[in-house]
Amino acid sequence: MTPASLTQEPQSVSSAVTRNAFFIVATVNEDAASRATVRAWCADVANLVRAVGKRVPAGNLSCVVGFSSDAWDKLFGEPRPAELHPFREFGSGERKAIATPGDLLLHIRADETDLCFELATQLMTRLEGAVTTVDEVHGFRNFDMRAIIGFVDGTENPTGNEAAHFTVIGENEDPDFRGGSYVLVQKYLHDMKGWNALSVEAQEHIIGRTKLDDIELDEAVKPSWSHSALTTLEDDAGNEIKILRDNMPFGRPGSGEFGTYFIGYARSPKPIEQMLENMFVGLPPGNYDRLLDFSRAVTGGLFFVPSQPLLEALAAVDPAVDPAAAPGVETSAADSSETQTEPAAAACADGSLAIGSLKGAPRYE
Ligand code: HEM
């Protein structure tokens, strides 16, 4: 397999599997000063990860930052990632992948909770007054990589060059945004009483794998409505299309809350959305994922993850030509005095974000 050709170092999308993860989703407050704070913060993220991570060198600390479609427009304007759009909902009624508010996603991973906690504190302190947190989940690794429903989670993930191939935008796909990724998150709550009332065999049919030793069920036995069958995608030539997941269990046993924070990275939102459609609507429609009879999605967001150099370059977008203050974009009362007549612009006068001129990024070919 030839991995995607890259000239821009990705953020730590395919970081080591860690014991802990914090997921923070926030909205950017509706004034020009808040937007300027968020833009400036983009240049601080890598330094903060380095500073905090140095304190426990073996702790595998990393942070991935993503921006929603609305956030991109109000913070950075044009150019914009080709496939970035608001979260698409799938399904209906009780079985629905819902969209919920969120401009910024922080995916903080480390082996120790204190590392995640310290980095989250440092990052959020710098955003104080500029963003409003709408969801925060602290996930933990559960025994041998088991989701809270007792099955090993993450087995079929791509690794190494294959992970880069499936998650990182290549040179010829979206040139201004090469080295970037898309990430989709959903917070699920489980009906553990209902799930635990099933026999192990019934649970195995729902997942499509054995519970104790995590072996894929034989095609002759695996139902077409199993989670594994509905999330396995192939292209027209019969090659498998993968995504990179790093789901984390979370919960509050004292309150009866048991959950899975789903997080999936890919170089396009399309495969993840196809999986959601298969799960929630069914393939064919009606043949839906029975895991959803015991799991309810309570959040949903799609974000673009710029390459590491682009994240830093975004800090240089000129607030004097703040995209959200440009004509045709609604501004709050607080903004109106700052409304500009210039069109939205990016870091460079040529509108290129200057990412082609950044040096030092590795190249995978
Ligand atoms: C309720 C939340 C979820 C739970 C508890 C869950 C759990 C699991 C488990 C236990 C496996 C089997 C082991 C593995 O290969 O990882 C699996 C596989 C997989 N899941 Fe999920 N999952 C959830 C949601 C999702 C969502 C929302 C998607 C995509 C939109 C997804 C995509 C996949 C994929 C692609 C596989 C690998 C399938 C294969 O190649 O066999 N999962 N999941």
Side-chain angles (χ1 to χ4, degrees):
M1 152 141 353
T2 315
S5 174
L6 308 178
T7 53
Q8 296 289 298
E9 185 188 358
Q11 291 188 52
S12 40
V13 164
S14 42
S15 86
V17 166
T18 56
R19 298 208 56 78
N20 290 275
F22 282 19
F23 305 89
I24 298 177
V25 174
T27 52
V28 179
N29 296 342
E30 291 292 332
D31 59 276
S34 295
R35 292 191 291 273
T37 301
V38 175
R39 280 190 291 263
W41 172 89
C42 292
D44 289 344
V45 176
N47 290 336
L48 289 171
V49 176
R50 257 192 305 275
V52 176
K54 270 272 186 270
R55 293 160 64 179
V56 188
N60 284 323
L61 179 68
S62 69
C63 175
V64 174
V65 176
F67 301 93
S68 73
S69 180
D70 283 359
W72 190 277
D73 289 341
K74 38 183 201 193
L75 291 168
F76 313 120
E78 297 290 338
R80 70 194 314 286
E83 296 192 76
L84 184 58
H85 52 252
F87 182 94
R88 290 193 175 132
E89 298 190 324
F90 294 94
S92 57
E94 286 288 286
R95 202 173 63 245
K96 188 168 178 185
I98 56 163
T100 48
D103 288 333
L104 268 187
L105 169 72
L106 271 61
H107 181 199
I108 299 174
R109 287 179 271 190
D111 284 322
E112 312 297 336
T113 314
D114 52 4
L115 278 174
C116 292
F117 194 90
E118 175 64 11
L119 182 60
T121 304
Q122 293 287 348
L123 289 168
M124 295 311 290
T125 300
R126 276 163 182 74
L127 289 172
E128 208 173 321
V131 304
T132 304
T133 299
V134 289
D135 191 35
E136 175 167 355
V137 169
H138 299 179
F140 62 95
R141 194 63 68 195
N142 184 35
F143 297 108
D144 30 294
M145 301 274 298
R146 289 180 190 270
I148 216 88
I149 56 167
F151 282 73
V152 176
D153 195 1
T155 314
E156 298 293 343
N157 262 336
T159 55
N161 279 348
E162 200 193 13
H165 169 77
F166 283 115
T167 55
V168 182
I169 296 170
E171 192 142 12
N172 301 322
E173 288 170 274
D174 190 1
D176 271 342
F177 297 99
R178 60 192 187 278
S181 305
Y182 293 87
V183 60
L184 191 145
V185 294
Q186 287 181 299
K187 179 160 108 177
Y188 284 91
L189 297 179
H190 301 295
D191 164 15
M192 288 305 289
K193 282 205 182 84
W195 179 253
N196 288 332
L198 297 177
S199 66
V200 168
E201 193 186 10
Q203 293 179 349
E204 290 178 336
H205 281 115
I206 290 174
I207 296 297
R209 305 184 75 92
T210 57
K211 190 170 186 180
L212 181 64
D213 43 19
D214 183 34
I215 305 294
E216 189 175 357
L217 295 187
D218 202 86
E219 288 304 323
V221 185
K222 182 161 74 170
S224 60
W225 41 260
S226 68
H227 182 62
S228 143
L230 289 167
T231 54
T232 301
L233 302 184
E234 287 184 355
D235 64 18
D236 293 343
N239 303 311
E240 202 172 326
I241 304 172
K242 297 198 171 199
I243 64 169
L244 184 64
R245 296 162 288 130
D246 198 1
N247 300 352
M248 277 282 188
F250 68 89
R252 291 179 301 155
S255 309
E257 181 188 87
F258 299 93
T260 298
Y261 201 91
F262 168 81
I263 182 159
Y265 289 95
R267 59 202 270 186
S268 155
K270 285 195 192 92
I272 319 180
E273 289 170 345
Q274 185 63 59
M275 290 172 189
L276 285 183
E277 184 170 354
N278 293 353
M279 288 174 65
F280 283 81
V281 178
L283 184 70
N287 190 47
Y288 68 90
D289 188 331
R290 301 309 196 264
L291 181 55
L292 298 176
D293 288 342
F294 305 91
S295 318
R296 187 164 53 92
V298 294
T299 71
L302 174 69
F303 304 86
F304 176 70
V305 176
S307 68
Q308 188 61 51
L310 177 55
L311 178 65
E312 285 168 38
L314 289 173
V317 169
D318 185 355
V321 284
D322 186 333
V329 180
E330 265 183 44
T331 54
S332 69
D335 279 1
S336 54
S337 61
E338 301 165 73
T339 301
Q340 302 292 317
T341 48
E342 304 230 6
C348 251
D350 66 0
S352 70
L353 289 172
I355 55 179
S357 62
L358 288 159
K359 303 269 189 300
R363 193 184 176 92
Y364 305 79
E365 291 185 298

